[in-house]
Amino acid sequence: MVTPLGRRTFLRAIGAGGIALGARGLLSGPAAASTFGVTSGGGFFTVDTGAGLVFQVRQSNGDLTSLRRNGVELQSQSRFSHVESGLGNGATVTATQNGNIVVITESATNWYGSGVIHHYLVARSGDAAIYMATIVDNNGAGELRWIQEFDRRVITTMNTAADVNGGTAIESTDVFLVNGQTRSKYYGNRQAMNLTIRGVTGNGVGAFMAYGNRESSSGGPFFRDIEQQGSTTIQLYNYMWSGHNDTEGQRLGVLNGPYALIVTDGSVPAAPDMTFMYSLGLQGAVPLSGRGFVNGKAIGVPGGSVVGFANGQAQYWAVSGSDGNFSSPAMKPGTYTQTLYQTELPVATRSVTVTAGTTSSGQNITSTFTTPTAIFRIGTWDGTPTGFKNANNLTTMHPSDARMANWGPTTYVVGASPTSAFPAYQWVGVNNPTTVTFTLSASQIAARTVRIGLSAAYNNGRPQVSVNNWTSSIPAPSAQPKSRSLTIGTYRGNEALFTYQVPASAFVTGTNTMRITVVSGDSGTAFLSPGVSFDCVEMF
């Protein structure tokens, strides 16, 4: 049934007593096209945006079954689009229209066995876009995502690294070999803080995802998740929660979004102002007037460093200027853990409280990470394997890819080998051990400390160290997500620091040999055997 919004909701929608509704405002700007509106018939809600985009939603389950631009169907007719994997025929789907706004609300209970989901699709007159938002209650969910399925005859161009069409599965059912290259929906994805508009295109047409502020997702500023996949259809995603090597739990009972699917002539659109969505009465929406800000200075790290904020309800980040000063985005009220990153390595944490309608100033944070003068240091303390062997390929292909350099085992000679000779990853079943040779003078023989930093570990892999005839004990494994990691386009899990106290008696004057061996009580073969991602290795 198409029903009008209540007068109170409508007043909120036009901004009375609330926040501004974006640059145009709800009732300002160009006159609404005469075709704008929603109709009901044949078991569908059909929405004409008045901007050449018409879409159709099935009333029985909320599937998006048609997406037409100027009469051309973009939506695959073999696989429809939906939130998660579809809400099923138990969903309740309603539509409301008031003025130049249409809101379709999809709700399902006992969703995937428990919980309640509400998904919103919003049209605004004159915008060739579907604005969306999603909320799942505190009983949890599976993988929370919007999956947009396109007809490959119309939408033809996408991220090649994620196009698995015609390939042969080589790992699970999601990593494929295509024309000699490994491809997967896990490859070519960007970090959350860099999720600018991205899409897929065809001849004179394009569809783009505007991902929104990510405040209700998880994993922090450097987390990567699926954006596209090519199969018999071309799929454009907004992943809000997946658990794909995610270092945080799912944030529940909070509104994910707003986000938007934008259709164009193929050109990349500007990021839309979606704050008008906060005034439509969507469950869990927090308007700008109910938010606060944090500013301060990042100390002991270069300008351009990231400062993150996280609690059980939201996550945010800010980038410092050349002077170290930073200002947060608009944040929901609450107490947050504030984290300072040296590139991607956490180097300080503290607590900060955000109050609605105010700015919490002077929230300075100072690095506590020290780097003593080293006998040798391989890599940089930055929370990444940047500079190591194959580091440039880790997020775009499987480690078995023919385009990767041979993983080893490797012997690295301090003072002679380039950083790029040291492996970014090391596995029990692929390239164990890594050998480091170095020279000490008689005056350098002393008890020494070896530090090995990891940016991720898989299958309880951790490093054991031997120097000449001395061998360390086996350390406990680091706490990591229970997911594949090193093969799904990410080098990030929980950073871990392993420290070894090597006695003076272990060393000799002249050439010394240190072996780094990945050990684990767990098993696996080849690239799914226990493994680690290196950040930095040093001895001082």
Side-chain angles (χ1 to χ4, degrees):
M1 178 181 294
V2 182
T3 58
L5 291 168
R7 180 176 182 274
R8 180 175 301 173
T9 302
F10 180 59
L11 287 175
R12 287 200 304 269
I14 63 174
I19 61 173
L21 300 179
R24 295 191 335 168
L26 193 62
L27 299 180
S28 61
S34 60
T35 55
F36 175 79
V38 58
T39 57
S40 175
F44 298 92
F45 291 122
T46 301
V47 179
D48 190 328
T49 66
L53 177 67
V54 179
F55 63 92
Q56 196 169 70
V57 174
R58 191 185 302 275
Q59 294 172 357
S60 62
N61 61 11
D63 282 0
L64 183 72
T65 60
S66 178
L67 185 74
R68 292 178 177 267
R69 181 181 185 271
N70 297 333
V72 177
E73 182 66 75
L74 311 182
Q75 169 66 50
S76 166
Q77 294 303 295
S78 62
R79 297 166 66 176
F80 294 131
S81 303
H82 39 241
V83 70
E84 230 288 350
S85 297
L87 298 183
N89 291 330
T92 299
V93 183
T94 61
T96 61
Q97 178 178 348
N98 221 320
N100 60 352
I101 290 287
V102 167
V103 179
I104 294 177
T105 302
E106 305 176 350
S107 301
T109 57
N110 295 320
W111 183 56
Y112 288 86
S114 66
V116 178
I117 183 172
H118 302 293
H119 180 70
Y120 304 97
L121 302 98
V122 176
R124 183 166 62 169
S125 179
D127 284 358
I130 305 174
Y131 299 96
M132 290 184 265
T134 313
I135 185 170
V136 177
D137 75 4
N138 290 317
N139 287 314
E143 294 187 10
L144 186 61
R145 59 196 174 179
W146 176 262
I147 306 175
Q148 184 63 47
E149 305 269 6
F150 292 105
D151 188 331
R152 285 196 77 126
R153 296 170 299 180
V154 181
I155 297 294
T156 56
T157 303
M158 61 166 294
N159 170 25
T160 301
D163 190 355
V164 303
N165 194 38
T168 301
I170 63 168
E171 181 179 301
S172 187
T173 56
D174 50 25
V175 181
F176 294 80
L177 190 65
V178 183
N179 298 326
Q181 296 182 354
T182 55
R183 299 184 186 176
S184 175
K185 60 187 178 182
Y186 297 116
Y187 301 152
N189 300 312
R190 300 162 299 167
Q191 295 177 326
M193 65 180 290
N194 297 319
L195 283 179
T196 54
I197 284 179
R198 190 182 199 184
V200 293
T201 59
N203 184 17
V205 66
F208 298 84
M209 189 65 70
Y211 297 89
N213 61 19
R214 316 308 294 167
E215 69 180 6
S216 297
S217 296
S218 64
F222 313 116
F223 182 68
R224 300 173 194 266
D225 217 331
I226 299 165
E227 297 179 49
Q228 299 181 13
Q229 180 175 238
S231 58
T232 54
T233 62
I234 283 181
Q235 299 150 9
L236 182 63
Y237 292 87
N238 179 23
Y239 253 86
M240 294 161 275
W241 160 257
S242 68
H244 298 146
N245 210 50
D246 200 333
T247 56
E248 296 180 289
Q250 185 177 14
R251 290 182 167 91
L252 296 167
V254 290
L255 190 69
N256 290 267
Y259 54 102
L261 177 68
I262 305 169
V263 180
T264 75
D265 60 2
S267 57
V268 180
D273 183 348
M274 295 184 278
T275 55
F276 77 96
M277 292 274 284
Y278 293 140
S279 292
L280 300 182
L282 310 184
Q283 184 174 324
V286 179
L288 296 183
S289 60
R291 295 167 178 258
F293 298 85
V294 174
N295 62 37
K297 189 179 184 71
I299 301 169
V301 292
S305 294
V306 176
V307 179
F309 305 89
N311 62 19
Q313 297 299 299
Q315 62 172 10
Y316 304 95
W317 42 83
V319 178
S320 67
S322 58
D323 57 2
N325 291 330
F326 64 86
S327 297
S328 77
M331 298 168 62
K332 293 189 285 189
T335 298
Y336 294 83
T337 298
Q338 181 183 14
T339 302
L340 176 62
Y341 294 94
Q342 183 169 286
T343 308
E344 298 182 25
L345 178 69
V347 292
T349 60
R350 62 188 296 273
S351 182
V352 62
T353 298
V354 176
T355 303
T358 66
T359 297
S360 181
S361 299
Q363 300 299 323
N364 300 342
I365 185 167
T366 302
S367 172
T368 59
F369 190 80
T370 59
T371 51
T373 301
I375 297 294
F376 65 81
R377 179 173 293 123
I378 308 170
T380 303
W381 288 107
D382 62 4
T384 82
T386 298
F388 291 150
K389 183 191 296 184
N390 292 319
N392 290 339
N393 296 328
L394 300 179
T395 63
T396 58
M397 61 188 74
H398 192 273
S400 68
D401 197 288
R403 292 168 289 177
M404 292 278 190
N406 187 284
W407 284 103
T410 297
T411 296
Y412 181 93
V413 181
V414 172
S417 299
T419 302
S420 58
F422 194 89
Y425 292 169
Q426 185 175 323
W427 297 265
V428 169
V430 176
N431 57 340
N432 238 0
T434 294
T435 302
V436 178
T437 65
F438 57 96
T439 300
L440 294 179
S441 66
S443 63
Q444 291 176 309
I445 302 298
R448 296 290 178 181
T449 298
V450 172
R451 293 200 304 184
I452 299 177
L454 307 181
S455 66
Y458 176 67
N459 228 355
N460 285 320
R462 64 272 201 190
Q464 184 180 30
V465 168
S466 65
V467 177
N468 299 322
N469 294 321
W470 175 89
T471 300
S472 74
S473 60
I474 296 176
S478 56
Q480 299 291 337
K482 301 300 181 184
S483 164
R484 282 179 296 160
S485 55
L486 308 184
T487 61
I488 62 169
T490 181
Y491 54 79
R492 283 193 61 80
N494 289 315
E495 290 86 358
L497 180 64
F498 291 84
T499 301
Y500 310 84
Q501 303 301 330
V502 186
S505 59
F507 299 104
V508 297
T509 300
T511 300
N512 291 259
T513 300
M514 180 174 77
R515 290 181 176 83
I516 302 171
T517 304
V518 175
V519 296
S520 175
D522 294 341
S523 61
T525 59
F527 298 100
L528 291 178
S529 66
V532 301
S533 170
F534 289 109
D535 174 10
C536 191
V537 176
E538 68 180 8
M539 187 176 78
F540 57 88

